[in-house]
């Protein structure tokens, strides 16, 4: 198969990866090609981890952070520090359409990049808030919290963007100039989360323990670490039928809340491609932000 | 606390019995010849720095399982296990033996280092210093190492005994079926078809000669461990992270976002709370 200048071999194209949707690996490759123009800028220069499901999403999958031995020679790679801090490993960097297709051919259904680019590995390009609905709540509860979070951030002069996790949750991202350390960004995310949780303890918690999450949204600030990855915008999720981590306009959250319809916040691959015509890349603000975390008397 | 990390632990005998070959019987003790110096950390819960403990839960219902309800299962197939009791295992344990009986003496060069596992010193009993020294000296002159069996902690080990300075050293060894062959470990690559020119080989050998030196283990140190210990020492002197029962400091309880951010970010800037990546 030829993609631009690259030639790569693909295999088992008729293998069914999403049995309910009847989606095969050929569908996955086709989706990768169609989504590449908007997805690639978000992956440029970043180590990525894969969640691979070679036997389909109804069979166990596995995480992979290191470049597989079978990777083509032209694939870009970067050094990335492991979570334990015990050492670096080489991770793939997906910076061209052929690389995205290569990943699809590995049945790498989910693609999770790190928060910093290799040009400034200690300085994240955004902060991430993961809103995860606890038992008895759902994506609409998350939508309400996300809007409050957005208003709070606006109150301190920061713009934010939002995407679905592709599951029941939402991710709110605060675009940043890559000038702050992970420690600063993490403290920022933690403080914002804890203040919001103090304002609305009945609907929101920052505690990971299961009982605290009953009837509440878990606002997780702990993903703001150099070693952590978060699902990429436009990445598929391993659900059947497939869903996509979909960038949203803030107005869409308000509308879904006002009509009370969860389905308005879940998108499949074809819907996401169709949305590009209307919305373009709603997460474009993440690509080159100049926002800084400077608050009054204590510039950081 | 930091001192403890760098101190060398006094070796303690982990086995005692006798080393024997032919009619000679030498009472000995085993002490570890090496000590792992990896820096280990305790896991703490970030919000309150309480210690994390492990809870064994049943995967079927998520409930905690008391020790007495845990049995050993050997996996024989997908989701299929054979349950084995402690009594059954005890019945087939190797006979407790206090003897390291040397079976044969072999050339050290014939024992590939891949087989070596842990290393111990053999410490002779006071009355046994003479036969111990005699054996050591004889092995040194013969250029041979003794191969023996040792039962320790109800496991039977294959061991090699060899002279080292004034002492005898014992290495536990991997059994043959525990050592992978290159054919298994390198199955993805085919090394056979590579052809090397005589000149290439000669140049590479020259390069090796140029870099040749006697091996001085003391020339190498674990630089990562040194850096970790320096980090821990600096933090222990400046800012100790204590185990706190209190969940949040009262000063942090504000609902004013700007005020909270000014406080938290300036403390990070000063190298405080949350400054880890």
């Amino acid at each position: 198969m030829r993609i631009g200048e690259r030639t790569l071999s693909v295999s088992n194209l008729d293998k069914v990866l999403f049995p309910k949707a009847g989606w095969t690996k050929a569908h996955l490759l086709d989706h990768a090609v169609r989504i590449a123009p908007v997805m690639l800028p978000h992956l440029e220069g970043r180590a990525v981890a894969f969640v691979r499901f070679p036997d389909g999403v109804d069979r166990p999958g596995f995480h992979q952070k290191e470049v597989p031995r079978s990777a083509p020679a032209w694939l870009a790679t970067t050094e990335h520090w492991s979570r334990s801090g015990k050492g670096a490993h080489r991770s793939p960097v997906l910076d061209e359409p052929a690389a995205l297709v290569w990943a699809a051919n590995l049945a790498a259904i989910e693609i999770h990049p790190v928060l910093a680019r290799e040009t400034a590995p200690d300085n994240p390009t955004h902060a991430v808030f993961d809103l995860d609905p606890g038992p008895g709540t759902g994506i609409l509860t998350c939508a309400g919290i996300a809007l409050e979070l957005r208003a709070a951030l606006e109150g301190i002069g920061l713009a934010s963007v939002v995407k679905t996790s592709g599951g029941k949750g939402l991710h709110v991202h605060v675009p940043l100039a890559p000038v702050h350390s992970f420690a600063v960004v993490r403290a920022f995310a933690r403080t914002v989360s804890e203040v919001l949780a103090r304002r609305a303890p009945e609907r929101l918690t920052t505690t990971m323990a299961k009982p605290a999450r009953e009837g509440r949204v878990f606002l997780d600030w702990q993903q703001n670490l150099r070693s952590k990855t978060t699902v990429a915008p436009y990445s598929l999720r391993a659900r059947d039928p497939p869903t996509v981590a979909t960038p949203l306009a803030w107005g869409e959250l308000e509308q879904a809340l006002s009509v009370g319809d969860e389905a308005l916040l879940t998108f499949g691959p074809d819907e996401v491609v169709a949305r590009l015509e209307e919305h373009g890349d709603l997460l474009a603000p993440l690509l080159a932000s100049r926002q800084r975390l400077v608050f009054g008397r204590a510039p950081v | 606390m930091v001192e403890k990390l760098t101190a060398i632990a006094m070796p303690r005998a982990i086995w005692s019995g006798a080393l024997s070959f032919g009619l000679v019987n030498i009472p000995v003790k085993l002490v570890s010849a090496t000590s792992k110096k990896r820096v280990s950390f305790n896991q703490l819960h970030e919000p309150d720095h309480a210690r994390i403990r492990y809870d064994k839960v049943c995967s079927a219902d998520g409930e905690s399982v008391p020790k007495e309800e845990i049995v050993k299962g050997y996996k024989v197939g997908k989701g299929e296990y054979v349950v084995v009791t402690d009594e059954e295992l005890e019945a087939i344990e190797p006979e407790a033996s206090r003897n390291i009986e040397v079976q044969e003496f072999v050339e050290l060069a014939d024992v590939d280092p891949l087989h070596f596992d842990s290393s111990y010193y053999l410490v002779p009993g006071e009355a046994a210093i003479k036969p111990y020294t005699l054996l050591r000296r004889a092995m040194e002159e013969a250029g041979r190492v003794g191969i023996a069996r040792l039962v320790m902690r109800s496991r039977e080990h294959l061991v090699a005994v060899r002279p080292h300075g004034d002492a005898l050293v014992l290495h536990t060894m991997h059994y043959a079926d525990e050592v992978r062959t290159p054919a298994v470990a390198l199955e993805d690559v085919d090394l056979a078809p590579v052809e090397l020119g005589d000149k290439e080989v000669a140049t590479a050998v020259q390069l090796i000669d140029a870099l040749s030196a006697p091996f001085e283990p003391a020339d190498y140190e674990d630089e990562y461990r040194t850096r970790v210990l320096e980090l821990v020492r600096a933090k222990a002197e400046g800012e100790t992270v204590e185990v706190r029962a209190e969940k949040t400091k009262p000063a942090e309880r504000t609902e004013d976002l700007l005020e909270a951010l000014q406080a938290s970010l300036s403390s990070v800037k000063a190298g405080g709370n949350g400054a880890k990546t």
Side-chain angles (χ1 to χ4, degrees), chain A residues 118-143:
Chain A
E118 59 185 335
T119 44
D122 298 320
N123 308 113
T125 57
H126 49 110
V128 58
F129 296 86
D130 181 6
L131 283 66
D132 189 17
T137 69
I139 197 165
L140 289 177
T141 332
C142 286

Side-chain angles (χ1 to χ4, degrees), chain B residues 150-169:
Chain B
L150 160 71
V151 177
M152 184 164 63
R153 297 190 205 105
S154 58
R155 255 204 72 188
E156 190 174 52
H157 299 270
L158 176 65
V159 304
V161 177
R162 67 180 181 91
H164 175 82
D166 286 340
L168 285 170
V169 167

